Amino acid sequence: MLYTSPALETLIERLSRLPTIGRKTAQRLALYLLKQPREDVAALATSIGTLQERVRTCSICANITELDPCPICRDSRRDRNVICVVEEPNDVLVIERTNEFKGLYHVLGGSLSPLEGVGPEDLKVRELLMRLRADDETSVKEIILAMDPNVEGEATTLYLAKLLSPLVDRVTRIARGIPIGSDLEYADDATLARALEGRTIV
Ligand SMILES: [Zn+2]
């Protein structure tokens, strides 16, 4: 259905490009916004508009942050002997929620996928190696690999284990209690906490 308003049509078209939002949902959202108080819609537009200006990636761990280094990298109470390697910034939030991990993170920005043409050079692997070699990070004793439990995550775990083993005392992986083929984010806190606790040497 085409609307008589190009502004509305443009918004629907843009919203429908977002993940999980099809044309129908986009229409519903756009018409909903149309009925909301003008200041609420303006506030939403502002927060979308300033998102990329304010949010950057941490120059140490590649997590998303407004301050560089990010609050986790800056926090002197965090255990600098352990780095947990994850695929996406969302995984940091998920692991933080368990309150089980007090070390530092490294966000790869994805996982190895030969099928989709994603190789180590497309991920923050070089940055991780540089971190381990940097003077102030030589205290790293353990690297925990916390990839998603799927084929790409497994390939990434094996690749990193081989690469990192000579550089640190221990490379471990989170236990497999998380359903295979899923995302870390779908694991409940207790399962993830158990998976962290029960991690094994790779
Ligand atoms: Zn950081």
Side-chain angles (χ1 to χ4, degrees), residues 11-188:
L11 178 61
I12 291 169
E13 202 273 317
R14 289 196 179 277
L15 286 172
S16 66
R17 287 189 220 166
L18 298 174
T20 75
I21 300 195
R23 171 94 196 165
K24 266 193 182 159
T25 308
Q27 281 171 354
R28 221 175 298 137
L29 286 171
L31 292 171
Y32 171 83
L33 289 171
L34 195 57
K35 284 190 241 160
Q36 298 312 297
R38 197 171 273 236
E39 58 273 21
D40 287 359
V41 179
L44 176 64
T46 306
S47 74
I48 293 174
T50 54
L51 181 68
Q52 294 189 329
E53 239 165 75
R54 296 231 188 129
V55 180
R56 62 194 82 193
T57 54
C58 173
S59 57
I60 298 173
C61 71
N63 194 10
I64 46 175
T65 180
E66 290 196 13
L67 292 169
D68 187 18
C70 73
I72 295 178
C73 288
R74 275 164 191 266
D75 190 344
S76 58
R77 291 163 302 176
R78 308 281 311 201
D79 179 0
R80 279 161 203 279
N81 293 321
V82 195
I83 293 179
C84 181
V85 182
V86 295
E87 293 181 16
E88 302 290 346
N90 196 40
D91 298 329
V92 174
L93 297 179
V94 174
I95 293 176
E96 282 297 285
R97 221 175 45 205
T98 67
N99 275 320
E100 189 66 32
F101 181 68
K102 297 290 171 233
L104 303 175
Y105 291 94
H106 192 84
V107 180
L108 288 177
S111 53
L112 293 177
S113 175
L115 282 179
E116 287 171 35
V118 185
E121 64 286 356
D122 300 308
L123 306 174
K124 304 273 184 195
V125 173
R126 199 167 49 94
E127 287 80 352
L128 177 59
L129 292 175
M130 277 161 53
R131 245 181 116 171
L132 294 176
R133 288 182 188 135
D135 286 337
D136 57 340
E137 298 272 1
T138 43
S139 57
V140 178
K141 303 264 185 296
E142 180 179 355
I143 300 270
I144 303 174
L145 303 172
M147 306 300 132
D148 286 347
N150 52 33
V151 178
E152 293 80 13
E154 190 60 27
T156 312
T157 297
L158 296 177
Y159 172 80
L160 289 178
K162 202 170 166 197
L163 187 71
L164 302 172
S165 290
L167 304 174
V168 288
D169 292 353
R170 276 195 301 169
V171 179
T172 56
R173 60 183 299 163
I174 56 169
R176 302 152 202 251
I178 297 165
I180 299 293
S182 65
D183 263 0
L184 272 197
E185 64 179 297
Y186 299 127
D188 63 85

